[in-house]
Amino acid sequence: MTSRPLHEQAGVSKSAGDMLQYLRRIARGDRNFIMQDTLLNHRCNVSPDNDFTLIMELFDAGKIDFDYSMSDGFPQRHVRLT
């Protein structure tokens, strides 16, 4: 019996699965770990940084959630694992 790849188990594309794997690796089990969405895109080589297709795919699959904050008067969205 062959096990399915992790991205298929999570119900997301291969690229979104790679992003999820990266986020889990750098969070190191810390459930309070957050990262700005554009920084996550940058570190996962998503171009342009403001293309949130993979992040929204992970959100729709229930793998991540968002926290919102203000910085210097500008809203920022941060990603956290669910």
Side-chain angles (χ1 to χ4, degrees):
M1 183 170 151
T2 308
S3 64
R4 293 179 10 207
L6 291 175
H7 70 278
E8 287 183 12
Q9 292 175 25
V12 296
S13 68
K14 171 91 169 86
S15 297
D18 292 344
M19 180 180 278
L20 181 61
Q21 226 176 359
Y22 172 77
L23 193 56
R24 286 179 175 159
R25 187 173 62 245
I26 63 172
R28 297 185 199 145
D30 180 359
R31 301 300 275 176
N32 296 316
F33 179 83
I34 61 171
M35 175 181 272
Q36 190 174 354
D37 55 2
T38 53
L39 180 59
L40 178 59
N41 270 348
H42 176 74
R43 290 197 179 166
C44 291
N45 297 319
V46 174
S47 182
D49 287 350
N50 63 351
D51 178 0
F52 300 112
T53 306
L54 296 178
I55 289 176
M56 290 310 298
E57 186 178 339
L58 292 174
F59 177 77
D60 291 342
K63 301 302 176 187
I64 62 170
D65 203 358
F66 299 121
D67 288 330
Y68 296 90
S69 64
M70 295 292 284
S71 177
D72 296 325
F74 296 99
Q76 291 188 346
R77 183 171 66 176
H78 294 86
V79 175
R80 65 177 168 85
L81 292 168
T82 55

